[in-house]
Amino acid sequence: MSTAATAATAASGGPKTVGFIGLGNMGRPMAANIAAAGFPLICFDAAGTHDRLPAGAEAANSVADIGDRCDTVLLSLPNGLIVSSVIRELIDATDRRISTVIDLSTVGPLVAADVSAALGEVGVLYTDGPVSGGVAGARARTISLMFAGPDDVFDAHRPLLESFTGNVFHVGISPGQGQTTKLINNFLSATALAATSEAMAFGVRHGLDLATMIAVVNASSGRNTATSDKFPNRVLTGTYDAGFHTALMAKDVRLYLESVTAAGGPNAIGTVMDAVWYGADQAMPGSDFSEIWKYISGL
């Protein structure tokens, strides 16, 4: 985005200055794309901002410094506990300028509702916009974003969101609806990968070739994201480099189960998946989530 386009965005109600907190595996490439698009960007990461700072962005001294200097703040953080802690720091900022938070993290609808209420008490709007598509998608600007917030806020921030995503969906206006959509997506992804691993292990034990089975399924009705992507690109190659940790998928599946149970929905499959993914995380600490194949198959 050009300087003129950025100014036009700000004039229409969009942010004049953007803050970004969390420059990890997903956050850093997203922030880099925002800066490359020409938005004035100030970043902070508790693990070390200067070492992770994307070109074209300024470094903040703290979370509170972000709150004092930015209109809209984006969060890309590992879990709800950290998001809640950062929100408290933003609330405590001495000369708070921030008016809108867009939470790109996956924290679940319950945490989203809590932090939204806390921010609302000091006049700051919380919106959630969790993303899906992995590290490669974050670099390539192909990730999907599921935004929940008022229509006018979405419209004003759309140029910003489109600077680092390929698919922006406005899924609702209430805090947590983006989180719910993300948990649905990740639960389906987790279930497809675990079920495919079990099915492929069955075939291998009957003497079938793994690559051949994947090819057959991809030309048939069993095709899913595990057979079309994870197995051909991560498992068959032996790279196991999807860029998303087993621990994070286990966290997301548990968030799904807790949220479904709280809503009184059916949770039989969620209960099984929770046990499978937490078992895999315990057995393979630090693993890529595509390595669930090793855990389930025993091969």
Side-chain angles (χ1 to χ4, degrees):
M1 177 180 290
S2 67
T3 302
T6 304
T9 298
S12 68
K16 296 179 179 64
T17 303
V18 179
F20 202 106
I21 300 174
L23 300 173
N25 288 341
M26 289 292 290
R28 186 175 183 180
M30 288 191 289
N33 283 324
I34 292 170
F39 287 92
L41 183 67
I42 304 173
C43 300
F44 178 77
D45 191 292
T49 304
H50 289 280
D51 291 341
R52 301 180 176 198
L53 190 68
E58 293 183 46
N61 298 320
S62 64
V63 169
D65 190 30
I66 289 275
D68 288 342
R69 298 169 63 189
C70 302
D71 306 291
T72 292
V73 175
L74 299 147
L75 309 180
S76 180
L77 299 166
N79 56 55
L81 287 175
I82 295 175
V83 166
S84 297
S85 176
V86 166
I87 291 297
R88 286 194 295 271
E89 291 183 66
L90 287 172
I91 289 172
D92 291 339
T94 305
D95 299 310
R96 189 174 55 248
R97 171 176 165 181
I98 178 177
S99 59
T100 304
V101 169
I102 302 177
D103 191 359
L104 309 176
S105 320
T106 303
V107 300
L110 301 179
V111 169
D114 287 343
V115 298
S116 175
L119 284 168
E121 290 180 0
V122 296
V124 178
L125 177 69
Y126 173 88
T127 65
D128 53 318
V131 297
S132 178
V135 175
R139 293 193 189 106
R141 293 179 54 242
T142 59
I143 52 176
S144 298
L145 185 146
M146 304 146 225
F147 184 91
D151 292 344
D152 60 334
V153 176
F154 175 70
D155 291 340
H157 287 83
R158 185 160 194 155
L160 170 64
L161 302 178
E162 290 180 340
S163 74
F164 65 94
T165 66
N167 302 283
V168 180
F169 298 95
H170 190 192
V171 300
I173 61 173
S174 300
Q177 289 181 318
Q179 296 294 327
T180 299
T181 307
K182 172 65 183 292
L183 293 183
I184 290 168
N185 177 80
N186 276 25
F187 173 68
L188 290 173
S189 176
T191 302
L193 186 51
T196 298
S197 295
E198 185 173 293
M200 293 299 114
F202 166 64
V204 168
R205 283 174 168 78
H206 280 75
L208 294 173
D209 175 70
L210 183 56
T212 301
M213 285 188 287
I214 292 296
V216 170
V217 171
N218 280 335
S220 307
S221 59
R223 178 185 174 96
N224 60 68
T225 56
T227 65
S228 65
D229 175 27
K230 306 305 183 300
F231 268 78
N233 297 322
R234 318 298 177 189
V235 176
L236 289 174
T237 60
T239 56
Y240 299 103
D241 59 352
F244 190 68
H245 288 165
T246 302
L248 291 176
M249 184 59 89
K251 182 260 296 184
D252 289 356
V253 171
R254 179 150 295 177
L255 277 175
Y256 169 85
L257 178 60
E258 291 171 349
S259 301
V260 165
T261 302
N267 61 11
I269 298 172
T271 299
V272 172
M273 286 298 103
D274 178 63
V276 167
W277 281 96
Y278 262 85
D281 183 40
Q282 292 296 309
M284 304 183 302
S287 62
D288 188 270
F289 87 121
S290 59
E291 294 182 77
I292 190 77
W293 158 249
K294 299 177 183 178
Y295 173 73
I296 289 178
S297 69
L299 299 173

Coordinates of all heavy atoms in Angstrom, one line a residue, residues 95-135:
D95 N -0.7 6.7 29.3 CA -1.2 7.6 28.3 C -1.9 6.9 27.2 O -1.6 7.1 26.0 CB -0.1 8.6 27.8 CG 0.5 9.3 28.9 OD1 -0.2 10.0 29.7 OD2 1.8 9.4 29.0
R96 N -2.8 6.0 27.5 CA -3.4 5.1 26.6 C -4.0 5.8 25.4 O -4.9 6.6 25.5 CB -4.4 4.2 27.3 CG -4.9 3.0 26.5 CD -5.8 2.1 27.3 NE -6.9 2.9 27.9 CZ -7.0 3.1 29.2 NH1 -6.1 2.6 30.0 NH2 -8.1 3.8 29.7
R97 N -3.5 5.4 24.2 CA -4.1 6.0 22.9 C -4.9 4.9 22.2 O -5.8 5.3 21.4 CB -2.9 6.4 22.0 CG -3.3 6.8 20.6 CD -2.0 7.3 19.9 NE -2.2 7.3 18.4 CZ -1.3 7.7 17.5 NH1 -0.1 8.0 18.0 NH2 -1.6 7.7 16.3
I98 N -4.7 3.7 22.5 CA -5.3 2.6 21.8 C -6.8 2.6 21.8 O -7.4 3.0 22.9 CB -4.8 1.2 22.3 CG1 -5.4 0.0 21.7 CG2 -5.0 1.2 23.8 CD1 -4.9 -1.3 22.2
S99 N -7.5 2.4 20.7 CA -8.9 2.4 20.7 C -9.5 1.0 20.3 O -10.6 0.7 20.6 CB -9.5 3.4 19.7 OG -9.0 3.2 18.4
T100 N -8.7 0.2 19.6 CA -9.1 -1.1 19.1 C -8.0 -2.2 19.2 O -6.9 -1.9 18.9 CB -9.5 -1.0 17.6 OG1 -10.5 0.0 17.4 CG2 -10.1 -2.3 17.1
V101 N -8.4 -3.3 19.7 CA -7.6 -4.5 19.7 C -8.1 -5.5 18.7 O -9.3 -5.8 18.7 CB -7.5 -5.2 21.1 CG1 -6.8 -6.5 21.0 CG2 -6.7 -4.2 22.1
I102 N -7.2 -6.1 17.8 CA -7.6 -7.2 17.0 C -6.7 -8.3 17.4 O -5.5 -8.3 17.2 CB -7.4 -6.8 15.5 CG1 -8.2 -5.6 15.1 CG2 -7.8 -8.0 14.6 CD1 -8.0 -5.1 13.6
D103 N -7.4 -9.4 17.9 CA -6.7 -10.5 18.5 C -6.5 -11.6 17.4 O -7.5 -12.3 17.1 CB -7.4 -11.0 19.7 CG -6.6 -12.1 20.5 OD1 -5.5 -12.4 20.1 OD2 -7.1 -12.5 21.5
L104 N -5.3 -11.8 16.9 CA -5.1 -12.8 15.9 C -4.8 -14.2 16.5 O -4.6 -15.2 15.8 CB -3.9 -12.4 15.0 CG -4.0 -11.0 14.4 CD1 -2.7 -10.7 13.6 CD2 -5.2 -10.8 13.5
S105 N -4.7 -14.2 17.8 CA -4.4 -15.5 18.5 C -5.6 -16.4 18.6 O -6.7 -16.0 18.3 CB -4.0 -15.1 20.0 OG -3.2 -13.9 20.1
T106 N -5.3 -17.6 18.9 CA -6.4 -18.6 19.2 C -6.5 -18.8 20.7 O -5.7 -19.5 21.3 CB -6.1 -19.9 18.5 OG1 -5.9 -19.7 17.1 CG2 -7.3 -20.9 18.6
V107 N -7.6 -18.2 21.2 CA -7.8 -18.2 22.7 C -9.1 -18.8 23.1 O -9.3 -19.1 24.3 CB -7.6 -16.8 23.3 CG1 -6.2 -16.3 23.0 CG2 -8.7 -15.9 22.7
G108 N -10.0 -19.1 22.2 CA -11.3 -19.6 22.5 C -12.3 -18.5 22.8 O -11.9 -17.4 23.2
P109 N -13.6 -18.8 22.7 CA -14.6 -17.7 22.9 C -14.8 -17.3 24.3 O -15.2 -16.1 24.6 CB -15.9 -18.4 22.4 CG -15.6 -19.9 22.4 CD -14.2 -20.0 22.2
L110 N -14.5 -18.1 25.3 CA -14.6 -17.7 26.7 C -13.6 -16.7 27.1 O -14.0 -15.7 27.7 CB -14.5 -19.0 27.6 CG -15.5 -20.1 27.3 CD1 -15.2 -21.3 28.3 CD2 -16.9 -19.6 27.5
V111 N -12.3 -16.9 26.7 CA -11.3 -15.8 27.0 C -11.6 -14.6 26.2 O -11.5 -13.5 26.7 CB -9.9 -16.4 26.6 CG1 -8.9 -15.2 26.7 CG2 -9.5 -17.5 27.6
A112 N -12.1 -14.7 25.0 CA -12.4 -13.5 24.2 C -13.5 -12.7 24.8 O -13.4 -11.5 24.9 CB -12.9 -14.0 22.8
A113 N -14.5 -13.3 25.4 CA -15.5 -12.6 26.1 C -15.0 -11.9 27.3 O -15.4 -10.7 27.6 CB -16.7 -13.5 26.5
D114 N -14.1 -12.5 28.1 CA -13.6 -11.9 29.3 C -12.7 -10.7 29.0 O -12.9 -9.7 29.6 CB -12.7 -13.0 30.0 CG -13.6 -14.0 30.7 OD1 -14.8 -13.8 30.9 OD2 -13.0 -15.1 31.1
V115 N -11.8 -10.8 28.0 CA -10.9 -9.7 27.7 C -11.7 -8.6 27.0 O -11.3 -7.4 27.2 CB -9.7 -10.1 26.9 CG1 -8.8 -11.1 27.7 CG2 -10.1 -10.7 25.5
S116 N -12.7 -8.9 26.3 CA -13.5 -7.9 25.7 C -14.2 -7.0 26.7 O -14.3 -5.8 26.7 CB -14.6 -8.5 24.8 OG -15.5 -7.6 24.3
A117 N -14.7 -7.7 27.8 CA -15.4 -7.0 28.9 C -14.4 -6.1 29.6 O -14.7 -5.0 29.9 CB -16.0 -8.0 29.8
A118 N -13.2 -6.6 29.8 CA -12.2 -5.8 30.6 C -11.8 -4.6 29.8 O -11.7 -3.5 30.3 CB -11.0 -6.7 30.9
L119 N -11.6 -4.7 28.5 CA -11.2 -3.6 27.6 C -12.4 -2.6 27.5 O -12.2 -1.4 27.5 CB -10.8 -4.1 26.2 CG -9.4 -4.7 26.1 CD1 -9.2 -5.4 24.8 CD2 -8.3 -3.7 26.4
G120 N -13.6 -3.2 27.4 CA -14.7 -2.3 27.3 C -14.9 -1.3 28.5 O -15.4 -0.2 28.3
E121 N -14.5 -1.7 29.6 CA -14.6 -0.9 30.8 C -13.7 0.4 30.7 O -14.0 1.4 31.4 CB -14.2 -1.7 32.1 CG -15.2 -2.8 32.5 CD -14.8 -3.5 33.7 OE1 -13.7 -3.2 34.3 OE2 -15.6 -4.4 34.1
V122 N -12.7 0.3 29.9 CA -11.8 1.5 29.7 C -12.0 2.1 28.3 O -11.1 2.9 27.8 CB -10.3 1.1 30.0 CG1 -10.1 0.7 31.4 CG2 -9.8 0.1 29.0
G123 N -13.1 1.7 27.6 CA -13.4 2.3 26.3 C -12.6 1.8 25.1 O -12.5 2.5 24.1
V124 N -12.0 0.6 25.2 CA -11.3 0.0 24.1 C -12.1 -1.1 23.6 O -12.6 -2.0 24.3 CB -9.9 -0.5 24.6 CG1 -9.1 -1.1 23.4 CG2 -9.1 0.7 25.1
L125 N -12.2 -1.2 22.3 CA -13.0 -2.2 21.6 C -12.1 -3.5 21.3 O -11.0 -3.3 20.8 CB -13.5 -1.7 20.3 CG -14.3 -2.8 19.4 CD1 -15.6 -3.1 20.1 CD2 -14.5 -2.2 18.0
Y126 N -12.5 -4.6 21.7 CA -11.9 -5.9 21.4 C -12.6 -6.6 20.2 O -13.8 -6.7 20.2 CB -11.9 -6.8 22.6 CG -11.4 -8.2 22.3 CD1 -10.0 -8.5 22.5 CD2 -12.2 -9.3 21.9 CE1 -9.5 -9.8 22.2 CE2 -11.7 -10.5 21.7 CZ -10.4 -10.8 21.8 OH -9.9 -12.1 21.6
T127 N -11.8 -6.9 19.2 CA -12.3 -7.8 18.1 C -11.4 -9.0 18.0 O -10.2 -8.9 18.3 CB -12.4 -7.0 16.8 OG1 -11.0 -6.7 16.4 CG2 -13.2 -5.7 16.9
D128 N -11.9 -10.1 17.5 CA -11.0 -11.2 17.3 C -11.0 -11.6 15.9 O -11.9 -11.5 15.1 CB -11.5 -12.4 18.2 CG -12.9 -12.8 18.0 OD1 -13.8 -12.0 18.0 OD2 -13.2 -14.1 17.9
G129 N -9.8 -11.9 15.4 CA -9.5 -12.3 14.1 C -8.5 -13.4 13.9 O -7.4 -13.2 13.3
P130 N -8.7 -14.5 14.5 CA -7.7 -15.6 14.4 C -7.5 -16.0 13.0 O -8.3 -15.8 12.1 CB -8.4 -16.8 15.2 CG -9.8 -16.5 15.2 CD -9.9 -15.0 15.2
V131 N -6.3 -16.6 12.7 CA -5.9 -16.9 11.4 C -5.6 -18.3 11.2 O -5.3 -19.1 12.2 CB -4.6 -16.0 11.0 CG1 -4.9 -14.6 11.0 CG2 -3.4 -16.3 11.9
S132 N -5.6 -18.8 10.0 CA -5.3 -20.2 9.6 C -4.6 -20.2 8.3 O -4.9 -19.5 7.4 CB -6.6 -21.0 9.5 OG -6.4 -22.3 9.1
G133 N -3.6 -21.1 8.2 CA -2.9 -21.3 7.0 C -1.4 -21.6 7.2 O -0.7 -21.8 6.2
G134 N -0.9 -21.5 8.4 CA 0.5 -21.9 8.7 C 1.5 -20.8 8.4 O 1.2 -19.8 7.9
V135 N 2.7 -21.1 8.8 CA 3.8 -20.2 8.6 C 4.0 -19.8 7.2 O 4.2 -18.7 6.8 CB 5.1 -20.7 9.3 CG1 6.3 -19.8 9.0 CG2 4.9 -20.9 10.8

